[in-house]
Amino acid sequence: MVFINNKYTKIYYKIIKSANNPKNIYVEKHHILPASLGGTNEKQNLVNLTARQHFICHWLLTKMVDGE
């Protein structure tokens, strides 16, 4: 596993799992496994998040990896 098993990882995946595609609301594409960690642009690695969810997920990612 690329990510540390901690509370931040659990919150991250909870957001990803609950993401939906509401109509008429601004969303941003998010790489579940970031490209910098080997993620791809394939459909199964992308999710639509609200701007707030996207910001939170990127903050959580900083807490989910060990090292630089």
Side-chain angles (χ1 to χ4, degrees), residues 10-65:
K10 289 178 178 72
I11 295 167
Y12 179 81
Y13 281 112
K14 185 175 181 180
I15 293 171
I16 297 300
K17 186 176 180 183
S18 69
N20 56 23
N21 298 318
K23 302 292 182 205
N24 300 321
I25 189 169
Y26 174 77
V27 293
E28 300 172 346
K29 291 223 181 281
H30 173 72
H31 290 85
I32 298 167
L33 180 62
S36 62
L37 296 175
T40 66
N41 289 329
E42 293 180 20
K43 187 175 180 178
Q44 65 268 21
N45 191 46
L46 296 171
V47 64
N48 286 329
L49 299 175
T50 66
R52 179 175 170 78
Q53 288 172 323
H54 199 193
F55 174 83
I56 291 169
C57 281
H58 277 271
W59 178 81
L60 290 168
L61 281 166
T62 68
K63 309 287 188 195
M64 295 167 49
V65 293

